[in-house]
Amino acid sequence: MGVSAVLPVIFCLLLDLLNKKTSFGKLDNRYRQLIIGIIFGGLAVLGTEFGIPIEGAVINCRDASVLTAGLVYGGPAGIIAGIIGGVERFLAVYWGAGMTTRFACSISTILAGLVGAFFRRFFFDSKRPRWVSGLFLAFTVETVHMLAVFVENSSNVRSAYDIVIQSSPLMLSVNTLSVAVALFFVGKNPRCFITRSGRTRPLSATFLKGLALCIILAFIMSTTMIYLLDSEICRSDSQKLLTSEIEDVKNDIIDKSDAKLLNLVQGAGEFIIEIGDFSSSWLRELAHELGLSEIDIVDSDGIVIGSNSQAKVGSDFSKGTQSAEIIRFFDTNATEYVQPYQPTAYNPNKSMKYAAIKTRLPDTNKDVIVIGGYNRDLFQKDIDEWITVVTKNRHVGIIGNIFAVSETMKIIADYNTKGDIYVSDTSTGLYNVLQYHTVPEFTEFEVNILGERKICMYAYTEGYYIVASVDYKSAVFTRDVSITLIIFLEIVIFGILFAMIYSLLRKRVVRNIHRINLSLHDISHGNLDTNIDIRDNQEFSELSDDINETVATLKHFIAEASSRIDQELQLAKDIQLSVLPNKFPAYPKRKEFDIYAYMTPAKEVGGDFYDFYMTDYDTINFLVADVSGKGIPAAMFMMRAKTELKTLTESDIPIEEVFIKANNALCTGNDAGMFVTAWQGALDLSTGLVRFANGGHNPPVLRHKNGRFEFLRSRAGFILAGMEDVQYRPQEIQLSPGDIIFLYTDGVTEATDIQNTLYGEERLLSILNSREFDSMEDLCHTVKRDVDDFVGEAPQFDDITMVALKFTGKPPVPSITIESALLKDIPTITDFAEEVLDQIGCPIKTVYQINVAIDEICSNIIKYGYGNQGGPVNVQFIERTSPHRIHIRFEDSAVPYNPLKKDDPDVTLSAEEREAGGLGIYLVKKTMDNIRYKYENGKNILTITKNLE
């Protein structure tokens, strides 16, 4: 039987292993159900064949296999196994199985398969239950099995009860444990009995626990009350039965004893009247012959006129208490009187039983009483045979007995089938009760008689203890049967009630709560279009309406807030973009370079930024940076970082100092722990040299003229705002005309498609090297389109920022050189100046002023520098765009002469009064915006500046 209990567990583990490791798990479910049903049906057959036979029944572990198949593998498997096991049990009587429980066992096995199929499908939602559920279900199914045994053997309740009592403990425990262990190893969440800390218990589990506790308490209370009530009923019934039987036996004995004694006294009276002899000697002979111990003749005055004891003749019989009762017999109409056996008045240690008759003496017509009595020995001798007759075939109930015990503790009865008479053992409880009267008459007590537990009662009569006994098991049989049936019925009823209530709770309450929770989960994750429509009952209908109304109100407020936020974010975006250079071409009049920048934030505002600006005529600073994070916080930090870098750069300090001071400034008050990666360079337009610093940013991409784009591999410094007092080292790149430098943020290289694949550096190089670009704007937009094509429908994950700079070099400066300049050559110079000024859009008035200045300066050089002997003069025209102005540079090799040192003439004087000379230079000073002089490399260099705006 132990093997048949373990086999379902082993086969569950093997089948699960086959499902995972072999093609068995890929079979069509119908075939798998059939195979599993046959396997577990075979196990049910083994459970029957390896069972333990008892009194026409078999203790077995058959139902466990069937129920396990249904709960673990599904309804069809359980039903097939149940039919196989049930049919085999029905037929097994032909080869030795018990007939007594044939139908009960067969039907219960089929029922186990149906129960397993039903509960797995409708109660456990076609999933394997936990082991605890299987344990309770198996216990209930096996209880139904026990009830079926009672139903099948209702005509022989005692036999059915004996079978159930012997088989139920083992069958209930073995079948229940077999199912529970199988589910523990292969069921859902086998460690469900372990409570995980920090997790609340589900509502269904809490209700289940409370419901189980209530049902268990109700079961215990009802069973206890019924047990106590039935015990009291059994005790009352047995007491009534024993009392009735004792009283019947007692009355029979008294009647027999009274009748015999009265008969003897009547015979004595007849002899006395017939003979008429009252002598003591004759009366002694008569008493001996009749078997009486005493014969007395008393007249109406109570005087003894004759006795077998000469000493009593003449005595007053009415003076004794016992004898006075007999004398009062004269005053009644009765002719006969029998007195109970009792101690005598003159000697309490001597007991007598008397009978009396009235008669009349024929010769005197005088009424007398003839009294006859038994002493102890004669009374017991007389009554023993009657007690044996009365008790011999007397029974209490079915197997109870009646027997008498003498005052000497001798049993006067045929108590056993052999007719032997037993003398009581003084060590037994019965002896103690009768000898010492430890229990009152007509009170139940329990003793062991001949090794069996008996319920007894006694009564004392006629010098004997009449004892009635009934077997304890027989006395409480109805109670035991009743309580057993009630326990089994309550288990089934409470189990069905438990399942119905729990199922109702799950379907009507818990399931609806889960539906609401799922909807609330969708709502809380942003799906405000979710509609809750649970109308199973009024409460859930009202709850659905309330939630839907709340969500509608929330959507309204969110829409308003979203609209307001959208407006504010758009304003923030406009503000952010407005602080970045966004007009292109940025320097349309500068031919030395072409620059373009582009930024697309991942959100409305971003943390990336770029910047470029001229710090002097020949230097352009350009940078790209990436702030950690996204959205408003990153945008705010971006504004702070951009301001710090530009302010420090415009203070005309080296680029490495800019990064050192900006890093320390950004570390201050950075409680959010944000940081910036940045790459910034300063391009000298006159030489093409780029001085730069890198604060943890991506390496730029560089292309030399007619070459390929390659990453500029250089050592990057630490991020900005990471920690204070970080040192950054200056680095340099030499650009040649036609070289391009491309800056970007990681939003480009780390863009991902829907498969989460990175755009990457190789793809960036590939698109950059794919063709020539018409402009830096074309380059940036080409890269952006390629990133968009790669990403596809995937959302933009990070800000995308790019800066492209092409160095074209300084264009040739317009200049004119006359190797031996004389005054006649000045118009040639002014004509050239007009052409240059016309090309740059110089106003006519300004052209006139500039030509006057050129004429005066050239005249000065030729007249005073070269002394009208002629010499080389070079005039250069240098245009500046921010602001728009023209620098005209005069170089000559004449004697060193600084015209700015000459005092200005006093124009308030007349021409005659003023000193000669100086008026032309004075005029130049007044018409030009700036004038500078220096002597360098043996040359006089005079530069005049005129603003054109």
Side-chain angles (χ1 to χ4, degrees), residues 22-23 58 190 199 273 301 500 517 604 650 685 715 806:
T22 68
S23 59
V58 177
R199 295 188 62 182
I273 292 173
D301 294 327
M500 290 179 63
N517 283 339
E604 287 77 1
E650 290 179 339
L685 297 173
R715 182 177 179 182
K806 182 177 182 180

Side-chain angles (χ1 to χ4, degrees), residues 5 9-10 52 148 262 372 382 397 489 631 639-640 659 691 722 773 862 909:
V9 180
I10 295 175
I52 304 171
L262 188 59
D382 177 64
L489 283 172
M639 296 291 289
R640 181 182 173 190
F659 270 42
R691 292 182 175 87
F773 301 101
I862 293 169
L909 298 176

Side-chain angles (χ1 to χ4, degrees), residues 676-862:
V676 187
T677 66
W679 194 100
Q680 179 172 333
L683 171 61
D684 188 336
L685 297 173
S686 62
T687 64
L689 181 65
V690 178
R691 292 182 175 87
F692 69 91
N694 188 351
H697 198 75
N698 307 72
V701 183
L702 180 65
R703 191 199 75 171
H704 292 294
K705 185 177 180 180
N706 301 323
R708 295 180 61 81
F709 280 94
E710 295 179 350
F711 285 102
L712 176 62
R713 300 299 181 182
S714 61
R715 182 177 179 182
F718 195 64
I719 57 175
L720 300 179
M723 62 180 180
E724 294 182 355
D725 300 327
V726 175
Q727 298 299 310
Y728 297 89
R729 62 189 185 92
Q731 302 182 70
E732 294 181 351
I733 313 169
Q734 181 61 54
L735 298 183
S736 299
D739 289 356
I740 297 175
I741 186 167
F742 177 69
L743 308 179
Y744 60 94
T745 60
D746 55 11
V748 175
T749 54
E750 294 182 5
T752 56
D753 60 10
I754 57 176
Q755 282 80 32
N756 209 31
T757 304
L758 291 177
Y759 181 80
E761 295 179 345
E762 293 300 323
R763 188 179 179 100
L764 176 61
L765 288 178
S766 176
I767 189 62
L768 288 174
N769 289 314
S770 63
R771 65 182 181 86
E772 290 293 329
F773 301 101
D774 296 334
S775 64
M776 295 302 96
E777 181 179 1
D778 180 29
L779 184 151
C780 290
H781 285 298
T782 299
V783 173
K784 180 62 170 61
R785 284 194 300 270
D786 192 62
V787 171
D788 291 342
D789 292 341
F790 172 79
V791 170
E793 297 180 355
Q796 182 178 337
F797 177 75
D798 200 358
D799 302 336
I800 295 177
T801 304
M802 296 175 280
V803 176
L805 174 65
K806 182 177 182 180
F807 176 64
T808 56
K810 293 178 68 82
V813 176
S815 65
I816 183 171
T817 302
I818 297 177
E819 295 297 334
S820 180
L822 297 173
L823 291 176
K824 65 180 180 65
D825 295 319
I826 293 177
T828 303
I829 298 173
T830 56
D831 289 343
F832 181 80
E834 287 182 7
E835 292 179 4
V836 172
L837 294 173
D838 183 61
Q839 290 178 1
I840 66 175
C842 183
I844 296 176
K845 179 181 178 182
T846 305
V847 172
Y848 175 75
Q849 291 175 337
I850 292 173
N851 275 339
V852 171
I854 292 172
D855 187 276
E856 290 294 335
I857 293 172
C858 288
S859 296
N860 240 3
I861 294 171
I862 293 169

Side-chain angles (χ1 to χ4, degrees), residues 576 579-580 597-599 606-611 623-627 634-635 637-646 666 676-680 697 720 745 799-803:
Q576 183 183 27
V579 301
L580 302 178
Y598 176 88
M599 186 184 80
D608 283 9
F609 68 95
Y610 64 86
D611 205 356
L623 73 122
V624 68
D626 185 0
V627 176
F637 202 73
M638 160 258 176
M639 296 291 289
R640 181 182 173 190
K642 178 182 179 300
T643 303
E644 289 286 350
L645 288 170
K646 186 172 183 179
L666 293 174
V676 187
T677 66
W679 194 100
Q680 179 172 333
H697 198 75
L720 300 179
T745 60
D799 302 336
I800 295 177
T801 304
M802 296 175 280
V803 176

Side-chain angles (χ1 to χ4, degrees), residues 614-626:
M614 305 287 294
T615 52
D616 59 44
Y617 184 79
D618 286 329
T619 304
I620 181 170
N621 290 269
F622 59 102
L623 73 122
V624 68
D626 185 0

